[in-house]
Amino acid sequence: MTATSKSIVRCSCGTVELEASGAPITSVVCYCDDCQAGSRQLAALPDAAAVQDADGDSAYVLYRADRIRYTKGSERLQSYKIKEKSATNRLVASCCNAAMAMKFDDSRHWTPIYRKRFEDHAPPLQWRICTKFKAEGVEIPNDVPSSSMYPFGFIFRLVGANIAMLLRR
Ligand SMILES: [Zn+2]
Ligand SMILES: [Zn+2]
């Protein structure tokens, strides 16, 4: 994927569309408690498609926040939090209750997009993270590196993306 390429992701019914420019920061599967709770909350909405994979994990493609544009139907986006005080907002397309992306109230500079929304053009998976929270009996596949919490390379990429953003590269 080149720096100028664009990925378009849509909700299930096509009303809401967002555009991500350039290469993602990374693409991960997360097993943490918050992702499990958040994904369950969204999947329980009427007619919502599954958000988690069979192992209870949630898959995301992370982009620099300044590389995301809400190009269509953004007024249909509805925000959900698992706790009132949580800084994490999970954005759902209210037309079809498709889980779209996350937005943070704090200064985190990245935007995770739910990987399922990319359908067949999802960037390859790079890490399985926070595996210590996995449900009992779940075997972590060894297709990509995994980490009980956050692997160094993952943190490194997030920090690197912030520096690049500050430098307006
Ligand atoms: Zn929709
Ligand atoms: Zn998580």
Side-chain angles (χ1 to χ4, degrees):
M1 199 178 280
T2 66
T4 50
S5 67
K6 285 184 174 27
S7 285
I8 308 280
V9 300
R10 294 183 183 89
C11 66
S12 313
C13 75
T15 304
V16 178
E17 186 180 283
L18 50 95
E19 186 186 275
S21 317
I25 302 171
T26 185
S27 178
V28 298
V29 159
C30 186
Y31 293 79
C32 86
D33 284 353
D34 283 358
C35 286
Q36 291 192 42
S39 293
R40 271 199 301 270
Q41 180 189 32
L42 303 189
L45 295 170
D47 301 320
V51 183
Q52 290 162 293
D53 295 314
D55 288 347
D57 53 288
S58 307
Y60 309 97
V61 182
L62 277 63
Y63 282 89
R64 267 166 50 177
D66 65 336
R67 293 209 168 160
I68 303 288
R69 282 179 50 219
Y70 295 87
T71 41
K72 230 180 90 184
S74 60
E75 70 281 357
R76 305 300 295 268
L77 288 171
Q78 190 160 346
S79 166
Y80 291 85
K81 289 177 189 267
I82 50 173
K83 291 183 208 97
E84 209 180 312
K85 292 228 167 86
S86 167
T88 304
N89 303 281
R90 292 180 170 79
L91 302 180
V92 171
S94 60
C95 37
C96 54
N97 282 333
M100 300 296 290
M102 282 186 192
K103 224 175 186 171
F104 304 109
D105 296 334
D106 53 23
S107 59
R108 273 173 276 185
H109 60 273
W110 62 91
T111 298
I113 298 179
Y114 285 92
R115 193 163 185 266
K116 287 190 192 300
R117 299 266 55 91
F118 286 81
E119 296 172 342
D120 54 357
H121 61 284
L125 203 60
Q126 289 176 308
W127 279 291
R128 295 177 179 274
I129 67 171
C130 301
T131 57
K132 74 173 198 177
F133 298 99
K134 73 179 176 64
E136 216 171 309
V138 165
E139 295 279 345
I140 305 291
N142 53 13
D143 49 351
V144 291
S146 64
S147 170
S148 65
M149 284 302 289
Y150 301 99
F152 173 74
F154 173 71
I155 305 285
F156 186 78
R157 277 174 182 245
L158 290 180
V159 171
N162 195 21
I163 292 169
M165 193 164 98
L166 293 173
L167 297 174
R168 293 186 177 274
R169 269 213 312 226

